[in-house]
């Protein structure tokens, strides 16, 4: 604000009180704000009585067990609560990864289907979106669980496909590759041979891809660089793997009494949670995909039609690459929601990190510490998801169309 | 320079507030600022807030009409009658196993009467004090009648339904580790473990034996289930009160002991009126807080008036009557168990009321 000279005809002005000056007022307000904030913080710290705040109790043995163990072998007698918490974090992350994959695939398919000219397909997609978007996620998860428990046979009447695939209320058991521990260690020189071969195959694939991209640019004809590069690498990896003796055994599940041994077991709790999260999030992703596609000018589709692309080519070459710029930031939010919504796990008896932390809190009374830990854990996972998605987003937005 | 002054100001505020907050708070108990005179609090409010379970038939159960019934509920009523003179003045609060101690320490309930096991850790580290045990229990197992499980050794690899965050869950882990057996726990809150067991999601359902019997008895086909002849723990179930309130704890403990003493002395809800008017001996007179043959009424110095046990008896009867009314219908007989009077082979042994 410019200060102008007063006209000399007016009487001399009274000295301006300091609080009329903006800078002084601003500082007063800021000071008052800081004091108020400090008082609130001090009050909270006092009210919570933080004298005993600490995380030492996480070092004590947990004393109970959880069913879903992944990556970490665990027993409640010798292992600490902290290890138990790690087990639970892995359980949560496994749910998130699977749910993110399913939600993305289903969401993109349904989103594209909503725009289909096939009346039935479009209506089915709309029905999917409206059902899963408009009911509470907790209700959906509990309903999935109830359906699974009622619909699938008890272990006594297990549904058996060729003594390799089983379905019962203990879960789905399927054969699963297990690496041979005798072969897979750093001392075995064959491992390094395979790593070297893989690196060579990767280099070759990259070289082929570059050559095909160049030829595509020169001739204007499709030469499918990514498809070629990926196939080359996959075939090379598979052939060398088999040539070196395929040191992986496939563990077929077997039934002993009322439980499965070996194989990969997908429990009804895990399945209900993943189904709930996937369907719910897919309904939002479908709308995001639809919005992203519809935001493109219709000229893009018309041009694609005009140059004689098929419907599939129009979608994969013209529409989706452009729509992704709109879609990815919104989908990132949905992935973050999957992270946060996975905390509903305890509704279906799935021992995720929130459930296990709740048990710790119940047993030790360390509510504040546990909630700090829970919040920090979810925040870290969210930040990790955001970081990965930002990298993807950066790649997509600089993509040459 | 100005910024420095501002920082100084903030630091001063912090220091000031921190000093103020330290006063009268020196015992270092975590959480829960409600402490002191619970008896006065209840009298002022005119109602006892009792934290109960509402899903366990026979112990704490919410009937379809919204009323509560069960063994633990009767003790709430007895204590309300003892303090307030009216057993209807109870506000029942459903306290889940995970939130019970927080409800107590936050002052949301005055008393926990909900199948809670005394453990050293709870007594020492939580803001809870345990009054006299009302029920001696132990952890047992129930399976489907057609199951192949008959003993502990048969449970290897089994899926076991259990309530989350309970002593049961810890005993289970200890027991299986001692036995060198593997198992898959499926833990949840409320009636969830029972529901999943009934749905055959688990092979075994474990809990306190009384609770198991109560839950199984409440099922439509209770013959479809079988108990294993196995008890793996001691579970003394006791009412819980807040730490640092011994007057209140005394009242709660002595209502329990009073009702046990009453059974020993033969005082029942049927004869309490007659015996209060004309006590047959000094022990009964003391217990009912009435003078014996023109003598003085003994005031033992409780935070409530001397007739509090008499009022509790009038409301719910003695220990045996409560047991017969609530637990026995579940098929849990009393004779020969820990919960019989010491004169009848049990361990109910109340200190003398004098």
């Amino acid at each position: 604000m410019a200060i102008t000279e007063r006209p000399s005809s007016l009487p001399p002005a009274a000295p301006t009180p300091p609080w009329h000056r903006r800078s002084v007022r601003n500082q007063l307000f800021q000071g008052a704000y800081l004091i108020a904030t400090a008082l609130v913080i001090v009050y909270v710290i006092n009210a919570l009585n933080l004298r005993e705040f600490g995380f030492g109790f996480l070092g004590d043995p947990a004393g109970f067990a959880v069913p879903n163990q992944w990556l970490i072998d665990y027993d409640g007698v010798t292992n600490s609560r902290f290890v138990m918490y790690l087990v639970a974090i892995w359980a949560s992350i496994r749910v998130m990864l699977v749910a993110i994959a399913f939600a993305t695939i289903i969401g993109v398919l349904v989103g594209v289907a909503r725009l289909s000219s096939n009346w039935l397909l479009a209506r089915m997609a709309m029905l999917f979106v409206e059902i899963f978007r408009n009911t509470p996620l907790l209700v959906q998860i509990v309903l999935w669980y109830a359906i699974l428990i009622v619909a699938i046979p008890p272990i006594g009447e297990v549904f058996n496909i060729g003594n390799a695939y089983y379905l019962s209320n203990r879960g789905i058991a399927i054969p699963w590759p297990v690496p041979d521990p005798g072969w897979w260690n750093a001392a075995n020189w064959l491992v390094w041979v395979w790593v070297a071969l893989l690196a060579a195959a990767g280099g070759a694939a990259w070289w082929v891809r570059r050559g095909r991209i160049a030829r595509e640019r020169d001739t204007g004809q499709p030469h499918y660089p990514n498809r070629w590069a990926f196939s080359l690498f996959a075939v090379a990896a598979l052939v060398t793997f088999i040539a070196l003796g395929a040191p992986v055994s496939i563990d077929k599940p077997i039934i002993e009494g009322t439980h499965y041994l070996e194989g990969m077991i997908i429990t009804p709790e895990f399945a209900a949670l993943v189904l709930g999260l996937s369907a719910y999030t897919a309904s939002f992703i479908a709308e995001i995909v639809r919005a992203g596609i519809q935001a493109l000018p219709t000229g893009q589709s018309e041009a694609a039609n005009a140059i004689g692309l098929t419907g599939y080519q129009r979608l994969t070459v013209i529409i989706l690459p452009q729509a992704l710029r709109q879609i990815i930031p919104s989908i990132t939010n949905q992935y973050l929601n999957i992270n946060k919504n996975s905390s509903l796990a305890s509704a279906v008896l799935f021992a995720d990190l929130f459930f296990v932390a709740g048990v710790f809190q119940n047993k030790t009374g360390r509510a504040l510490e546990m909630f700090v830990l829970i919040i920090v854990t979810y925040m870290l996972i969210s930040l990790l998801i955001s970081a990965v998605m930002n990298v993807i987003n950066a790649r997509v937005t600089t993509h040459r169309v | 320079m100005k910024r420095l002054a501002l920082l100084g100001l903030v630091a001063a505020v912090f220091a000031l507030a921190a000093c103020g907050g330290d006063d009268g708070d020196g015992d270092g108990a975590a959480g829960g600022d409600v402490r002191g005179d619970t008896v006065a609090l209840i009298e002022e409010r005119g109602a006892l807030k009792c934290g109960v379970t509402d899903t366990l038939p026979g112990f704490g159960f919410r009937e379809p009409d919204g009323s509560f019934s069960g063994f633990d509920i009767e003790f709430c009523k007895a204590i309300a009658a003892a303090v307030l003179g009216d057993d209807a003045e109870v506000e029942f609060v459903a306290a889940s196993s995970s939130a019970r101690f927080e409800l107590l320490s936050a002052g949301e309930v005055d008393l926990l009467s909900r199948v809670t096991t005394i453990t050293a850790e709870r007594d020492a580290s939580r803001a809870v004090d345990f009054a006299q045990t009302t029920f001696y229990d132990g952890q047992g197992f129930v399976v489907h009648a057609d199951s192949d499980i008959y003993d502990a050794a048969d449970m290897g690899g089994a899926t076991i339904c259990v309530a989350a965050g309970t002593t049961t869950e810890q005993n289970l882990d200890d027991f299986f580790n001692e036995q060198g057996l593997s198992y898959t726990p499926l833990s949840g809150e409320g009636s969830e473990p029972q529901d999943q067991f009934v749905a055959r999601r688990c092979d075994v359902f474990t809990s306190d034996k009384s609770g198991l019997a109560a839950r199984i008895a409440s099922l439509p086909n209770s013959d479809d289930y079988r108990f294993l002849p196995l008890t793996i723990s001691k579970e003394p179930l006791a009412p819980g009160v807040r730490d640092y309130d011994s007057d209140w704890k005394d009242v709660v403990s002595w209502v329990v002991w009073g009702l046990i003493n009453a059974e020993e002395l033969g005082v029942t809800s049927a004869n309490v009126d007659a015996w209060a008017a004309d006590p047959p001996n000094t022990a009964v007179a003391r217990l009912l807080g009435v003078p014996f043959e023109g003598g003085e009424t003994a005031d033992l110095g409780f935070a409530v008036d001397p007739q509090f046990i008499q009022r509790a008896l009038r409301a719910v009867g003695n220990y045996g009557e409560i047991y017969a009314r609530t637990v026995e219908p579940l098929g849990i007989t009393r004779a020969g168990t820990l919960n019989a009077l010491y004169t009848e082979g049990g361990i109910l042994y109340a200190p003398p009321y004098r």
Side-chain angles (χ1 to χ4, degrees):
Chain A
M1 194 165 65
I3 298 166
T4 49
E5 202 73 28
R6 287 169 164 278
S8 54
S9 59
L10 289 174
T16 327
W19 54 86
H20 281 195
R21 282 168 54 194
R22 174 164 290 184
S23 62
V24 172
R25 270 203 323 245
N26 282 351
Q27 276 177 359
L28 279 177
F29 285 140
Q30 285 166 13
Y33 175 78
L34 272 176
I35 291 170
T37 312
L39 280 172
V40 168
I41 291 172
V42 167
Y43 174 78
V44 168
I45 288 175
N46 270 314
L48 292 172
N49 199 351
L50 289 183
R51 217 160 312 168
E52 298 188 345
F53 191 88
F55 290 94
F57 67 97
L58 285 175
D60 299 338
F64 68 104
V66 290
N68 35 20
Q69 303 188 1
W70 191 49
L71 296 186
I72 300 174
D73 271 334
Y74 175 82
D75 82 85
V77 176
T78 53
N79 285 127
S80 65
R81 293 197 174 106
F82 183 71
V83 175
M84 181 75 145
Y85 190 62
L86 291 182
V87 172
I89 291 177
W90 278 122
S92 286
I93 287 180
R94 184 162 61 150
V95 166
M96 288 172 209
L97 289 178
V98 179
I100 282 175
F102 280 3
T104 310
I105 294 167
I106 301 171
V108 170
L109 290 180
V110 172
V112 172
R114 275 208 71 173
L115 297 172
S116 166
S117 50
N118 181 326
W119 185 86
L120 185 65
L121 192 62
R123 288 307 142 104
M124 296 259 290
M126 191 184 82
L127 200 64
F128 177 91
V129 168
E130 296 307 339
I131 287 176
F132 288 108
R133 191 173 61 164
N134 292 318
T135 48
L137 176 56
L138 180 61
V139 174
Q140 290 182 30
I141 290 175
V142 171
L143 192 63
W144 281 116
Y145 189 48
I147 290 171
L148 286 177
I149 290 292
V150 171
I152 55 185
I155 183 83
E157 302 152 26
V158 63
F159 191 66
N160 177 347
I161 304 171
N163 283 331
Y165 297 83
Y166 298 97
L167 172 70
S168 79
N169 62 9
R170 294 293 182 278
I172 299 165
I174 54 174
W176 199 252
V178 177
D180 178 358
W183 198 88
W184 287 105
N185 58 66
N188 188 346
W189 61 273
L190 282 173
V191 173
W192 299 108
V193 170
W194 195 52
V195 170
L197 286 172
L198 280 188
W206 184 74
W207 182 75
V208 166
R209 178 173 180 271
R210 222 173 56 150
R212 293 204 158 251
I213 288 175
R215 208 158 350 136
E216 221 173 41
R217 204 176 299 144
D218 293 345
T219 62
Q221 294 295 315
H223 283 279
Y224 309 108
N226 288 331
R227 236 176 273 181
W228 269 86
F230 178 77
S231 309
L232 188 77
F233 182 76
V235 169
L238 195 68
V239 167
T240 53
F241 186 69
I242 292 169
L244 288 171
V248 164
S249 55
I250 306 287
D251 265 9
K252 272 192 188 176
I254 41 177
I255 290 189
E256 191 190 89
T258 58
H259 63 283
Y260 299 123
L261 287 176
E262 318 280 331
M264 169 62 85
I265 298 155
I266 300 154
T267 63
E269 292 76 31
F270 180 84
L273 187 59
V274 165
L275 278 173
L277 286 172
S278 306
Y280 180 80
T281 314
S283 66
F284 288 94
I285 291 181
E287 287 299 272
I288 291 168
V289 169
R290 182 173 72 103
I293 292 175
Q294 285 185 329
L296 290 182
T298 47
Q300 294 289 330
S301 297
E302 288 164 6
N305 290 337
I307 59 172
L309 295 183
T310 66
Y312 179 75
Q313 282 176 324
R314 186 179 68 212
L315 190 66
T316 54
V317 181
I318 305 291
I319 305 296
L320 275 185
Q322 296 184 77
L324 278 181
R325 295 162 181 236
Q326 300 264 346
I327 290 172
I328 294 219
S330 306
I331 279 193
T332 305
N333 287 336
Q334 294 305 320
Y335 290 174
L336 298 183
N337 281 344
I338 285 185
N339 168 34
K340 290 174 282 183
N341 290 339
S342 72
S343 59
L344 292 170
S346 58
V348 290
L349 313 191
F350 183 79
D352 74 329
L353 76 93
F354 183 60
F355 177 86
V356 167
V359 173
F360 289 168
Q361 187 247 306
N362 178 21
K363 287 201 166 130
T364 60
R366 302 286 190 147
L368 194 63
E369 288 91 337
M370 284 323 295
F371 272 96
V372 168
L373 197 60
I374 293 167
I375 289 168
V376 168
T377 310
Y378 278 113
M379 270 182 63
L380 284 179
I381 298 174
S382 274
L383 291 174
L384 199 68
I385 294 174
S386 303
V388 171
M389 291 307 290
N390 283 344
V391 170
I392 294 176
N393 192 35
R395 286 185 61 93
V396 166
T397 47
T398 57
H399 191 276
R400 300 180 314 273
V401 180
Chain B
M1 193 59 214
K2 267 175 196 158
R3 196 172 295 166
L4 211 67
L6 213 58
L7 272 178
L9 192 66
V10 172
V13 170
F14 264 101
L16 210 71
C19 289
D22 269 350
D23 293 342
D25 197 9
D27 49 46
D33 280 310
V34 186
R35 62 177 58 123
D37 201 347
T38 307
V39 175
L41 194 74
I42 295 167
E43 281 169 348
E44 191 183 317
R45 191 194 300 130
L48 167 72
K49 285 188 175 178
C50 210
V52 299
T53 179
D54 59 353
T55 57
L56 186 60
F59 284 85
F61 189 69
R62 198 196 298 259
E63 302 287 349
D65 65 5
S67 67
F68 285 79
S69 72
F71 186 80
D72 289 336
I73 306 296
E74 300 278 321
F75 278 97
C76 291
K77 289 180 177 171
I79 289 158
V83 178
L84 297 166
D86 185 353
D87 68 324
E89 295 299 343
V90 190
E91 218 176 280
F92 293 108
V93 178
S96 71
S97 56
S98 58
R100 51 187 156 183
F101 299 121
E102 277 75 14
L103 285 175
L104 185 68
S105 64
E108 293 298 317
V109 299
D110 306 312
L111 175 73
L112 277 183
S113 181
R114 53 143 352 269
V115 289
T116 300
T117 305
I118 306 179
T119 68
E121 187 187 29
R122 286 172 178 173
D123 207 2
S125 76
R126 312 302 300 265
V128 62
D129 254 352
F130 289 101
Q132 170 57 25
T133 299
T134 54
F135 197 93
Y136 293 94
D137 213 336
Q139 185 174 342
F141 297 89
V142 67
V143 296
H144 296 275
D146 57 6
S147 154
D148 293 332
I149 298 172
Y150 292 92
D151 202 355
D154 300 334
M155 287 197 282
T159 306
I160 300 182
C161 279
V162 59
T166 56
T167 51
T168 317
E169 195 183 21
Q170 290 169 304
N171 297 334
L172 183 70
D173 205 49
D174 288 349
F175 179 74
F176 273 80
N177 282 303
E178 274 165 29
Q179 301 278 315
L181 295 171
S182 67
Y183 73 107
T184 307
L186 191 67
S187 50
E189 296 244 336
S191 65
E192 202 57 63
Q194 174 197 342
D195 295 345
Q196 295 311 325
F197 170 68
V198 170
R200 286 183 170 267
R201 173 68 185 90
C202 332
D203 307 302
V204 183
F205 177 30
T206 183
S207 183
D208 296 345
K209 281 187 141 177
S210 60
L212 277 182
R215 290 182 189 279
I216 297 303
S218 72
L219 293 173
N221 311 311
S222 49
D223 291 343
D224 292 353
Y225 308 98
R226 174 161 50 80
F227 285 85
L228 297 186
L230 193 65
T231 306
I232 65 164
S233 72
K234 295 187 285 188
E235 307 283 341
L237 308 180
V241 296
R242 270 184 294 279
D243 265 342
Y244 310 105
D245 193 351
S246 44
D247 280 353
W248 172 227
K249 183 182 163 185
D250 289 347
V251 170
V252 174
S253 279
W254 277 98
V255 168
V256 177
W257 277 325
L259 298 186
I260 296 172
N261 271 324
E263 187 185 7
E264 225 176 280
L265 294 167
V267 191
T268 66
S269 54
N271 66 16
V272 62
D273 285 334
W275 284 18
D278 181 20
N281 54 47
T282 51
V284 170
R286 273 198 305 273
L287 188 68
L288 300 181
V290 293
F292 182 64
E293 292 181 351
E296 288 284 300
T297 300
D299 186 347
L300 306 185
F302 284 98
V304 289
D305 70 282
Q307 297 194 342
F308 71 108
I309 294 175
Q310 184 193 139
R311 288 194 296 272
L313 275 166
R314 208 171 261 134
V316 298
N318 64 35
Y319 185 94
E321 289 178 78
I322 295 176
Y323 194 103
R325 205 164 47 235
T326 56
V327 182
E328 229 144 55
L330 305 168
I332 307 173
T333 51
R334 186 171 173 216
T337 68
L338 294 177
N339 295 302
L341 291 178
Y342 78 102
T343 50
E344 293 162 17
I347 59 169
L348 288 194
Y349 182 96
Y353 190 79
R354 63 187 316 142

